[in-house]
Amino acid sequence: MHQDKLSFLSTLFVPLLNNLQADAVGKWGKMSGQQMVEHVAGFFRVSTGKIVFPLVTPVEHLPKFKEFLYSEKEFRENTKAPMLPEDPLPVRFATMQKAVADLD
């Protein structure tokens, strides 16, 4: 499964994002298309250690959280990251194309 996810991210994900409208509204949540792309770019930086946040999850819960992240289980709708504000962050880039390019 892991290879399938990596393949999707490296070959299919960005082309799909190139077809997403910057002002697209999701089926749930508050982010626009561009806010979601910029959020994913930030998530990639966190997951690769380029951005580091203080640990907010109790250490004893980490194995369970890691197991979930490696599973095929979906996030619940409107799952909020504890370090983010209630409302989506404003976009950082002038265009969707620049936001998608930031993923590279």
Side-chain angles (χ1 to χ4, degrees):
M1 293 289 180
H2 176 70
Q3 187 58 36
D4 291 342
K5 291 177 185 178
L6 182 58
S7 177
F8 170 77
L9 288 172
S10 61
T11 61
L12 299 174
F13 186 60
V14 171
L16 288 170
L17 294 179
N18 284 323
N19 293 318
L20 179 65
Q21 296 297 313
D23 60 353
V25 178
K27 292 183 180 180
W28 50 268
K30 299 178 180 180
M31 291 184 202
S32 68
Q34 185 168 338
Q35 286 170 317
M36 185 278 302
V37 169
E38 293 183 16
H39 174 76
V40 169
F43 176 78
F44 286 171
R45 286 185 181 91
V46 170
S47 66
T48 57
K50 294 177 182 171
I51 297 175
V52 178
F53 287 98
L55 185 62
V56 295
T57 303
V59 174
E60 62 272 15
H61 295 169
L62 291 178
K64 184 177 175 183
F65 279 49
K66 185 175 181 179
E67 179 183 334
F68 171 78
L69 289 174
Y70 281 107
S71 76
E72 295 300 317
K73 295 178 184 176
E74 294 183 12
F75 276 87
R76 283 178 282 160
E77 289 185 12
N78 299 311
T79 299
K80 186 184 166 308
M83 72 287 302
L84 293 177
E86 189 62 35
D87 290 317
L89 296 171
V91 295
R92 296 181 299 122
F93 294 97
T95 67
M96 179 67 140
Q97 293 78 17
K98 289 181 180 180
V100 172
D102 186 54
L103 288 166
D104 290 340

